[in-house]
């Protein structure tokens, strides 16, 4: 199973990815987590990435692409993977497409998590209180949404043109969202969710 999770900041990609990775028996590859590990470990990659992340900017494509290519070369990713937070730009998506074409392992699907803007802001401000992540500050969150609108949203069309997008209503209890995501992957309720979810997510995050 080779899946990409797509959605705005705070949509719950990371939250859902752990459960879905366990369900499908594939590794959860989170570029946000790998970057944060590098920052806290003081590696050269972490030093390069930190300022971008703290401001709420995307880290340069080159750096993230290399990081993901390395990670997907590990043996545990041979049977599949769940990409959380990658790709986030069209150039990243093109690099991934080429990488997977070289392995003759195309993506099986892209789960797009749909959450309205007020709920997203509420989740991130709750996390700001609890975890104090530098990129959850009000200014960084504003910047992350700008980056999302300008650079990540075009991926919705990129993957829709390839017939890969399955939408998931990502508001509700975490377990409920997991069930919807599994159903979307299994293809049972994908069309239903698409009908409900479109419009709300897209217009609210614009
Ligand atoms: P990420 O770590 O990917 O951060 P995110 O988009 O904010 O998180 P996510 O959607 O996974 O939400 P989460 O589950 O945490 O990226 C951080 C930074 O790394 C980026 O800004 C960028 O600088 C850099 N980066 C990463 N990938 C990159 C790339 N490919 N290219 C360039 N730069 C890159 O959930 C958020 C909150 O909501 C949590 O507190 C959670 O508990 C809560 N929540 C989740 N589901 C909920 C639910 N159903 N109900 C209520 N609350 C819920």
């Amino acid at each position: 199973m080779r899946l990409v999770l797509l959605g705005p900041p705070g949509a719950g990609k990371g939250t859902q990815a752990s459960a879905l990775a366990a369900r499908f028996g594939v590794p959860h590859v989170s570029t946000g987590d790998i970057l944060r590990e590098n920052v806290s470990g003081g590696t050269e990659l972490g030093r390069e990435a930190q300022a971008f992340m703290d401001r709420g900017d995307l880290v340069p494509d080159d750096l993230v692409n290399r990081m993901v290519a390395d990670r997907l070369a590990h043996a545990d990713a041979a049977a599949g993977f769940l990409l959380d937070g990658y790709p986030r730009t069209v150039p990243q998506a093109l690099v991934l497409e080429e990488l997977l074409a070289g392995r003759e392992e195309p993506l099986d699907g892209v789960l797009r998590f749909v959450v309205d803007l007020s709920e997203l802001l509420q989740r991130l401000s709750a996390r700001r209180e609890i975890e104090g992540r530098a990129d959850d500050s009000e200014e960084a969150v504003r910047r992350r949404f700008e980056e999302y609108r300008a650079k990540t949203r075009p991926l919705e069309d990129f993957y829709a043109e390839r017939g890969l997008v399955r939408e998931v209503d990502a508001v509700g209890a975490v377990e409920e969202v997991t069930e919807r995501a599994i159903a979307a992957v299994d293809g049972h309720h994908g069309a239903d969710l698409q009908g409900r979810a479109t419009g709300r997510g897209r217009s609210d995050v614009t």
Side-chain angles (χ1 to χ4, degrees), residues 7-17 30-33 35-36 49 52-54 56-61 64 67-68 84-89 92 119-120 123-124 126-128 130-131 133 135-136 140 144 147 170-175 177:
K13 302 180 293 291
T15 305
Q16 293 301 325
S30 159
T31 42
D33 287 350
L35 288 165
R36 280 186 288 278
F52 293 99
M53 294 176 77
D54 287 355
D57 287 341
L58 291 181
V59 171
D61 288 339
V64 184
M67 202 175 84
V68 172
D84 158 19
Y86 180 90
R88 254 181 164 96
T89 66
Q92 289 180 17
E119 167 80 13
L120 293 170
R123 289 181 186 181
L124 294 174
R127 188 167 66 185
R128 174 160 65 235
I130 299 164
E131 294 182 21
R133 229 171 82 172
D135 64 345
D136 282 340
R144 283 161 67 196
E147 289 278 79
V171 178
V174 170
E175 300 74 25
V177 177

Side-chain angles (χ1 to χ4, degrees), residues 21-195:
R23 166 71 166 75
F24 295 118
V26 293
H28 165 200
V29 176
S30 159
T31 42
D33 287 350
I34 301 174
L35 288 165
R36 280 186 288 278
E37 278 159 23
N38 276 277
V39 169
S40 61
T43 66
E44 193 184 330
L45 172 70
R47 281 194 294 277
E48 274 186 70
Q50 182 165 21
F52 293 99
M53 294 176 77
D54 287 355
R55 280 196 303 268
D57 287 341
L58 291 181
V59 171
D61 288 339
D62 261 13
L63 215 144
V64 184
N65 287 332
R66 271 187 278 128
M67 202 175 84
V68 172
D70 280 355
R71 179 62 187 89
L72 295 187
H74 291 196
D76 67 343
F81 47 79
L82 209 149
L83 285 172
D84 158 19
Y86 180 90
R88 254 181 164 96
T89 66
V90 171
Q92 289 180 17
L94 289 167
V95 166
L96 176 66
E97 197 166 55
E98 202 179 307
L99 177 77
L100 297 182
R103 293 162 53 138
E104 296 188 11
E105 292 175 348
L107 287 175
D108 293 306
V110 173
L111 291 184
R112 184 167 93 83
F113 288 89
V114 179
V115 180
D116 57 79
L117 183 59
S118 65
E119 167 80 13
L120 293 170
L121 294 174
Q122 215 174 325
R123 289 181 186 181
L124 294 174
S125 91
R127 188 167 66 185
R128 174 160 65 235
E129 303 302 318
I130 299 164
E131 294 182 21
R133 229 171 82 172
D135 64 345
D136 282 340
S137 72
E138 276 185 50
E139 179 54 25
V141 166
R142 196 184 54 73
R143 183 71 196 133
R144 283 161 67 196
F145 278 100
E146 282 172 9
E147 289 278 79
Y148 174 77
R149 289 182 194 107
K151 298 179 185 166
T152 307
R153 270 211 17 194
L155 286 181
E156 293 169 12
D157 290 337
F158 178 94
Y159 283 124
E161 280 160 18
R162 286 154 177 77
L164 288 170
V165 179
R166 297 157 200 198
E167 305 204 347
V168 178
D169 180 350
V171 178
V174 170
E175 300 74 25
E176 244 181 277
V177 177
T178 306
E179 287 311 312
R180 290 182 204 142
I182 291 170
V185 172
D186 290 344
H188 297 311
H189 305 298
D192 233 27
L193 291 171
Q194 184 139 351

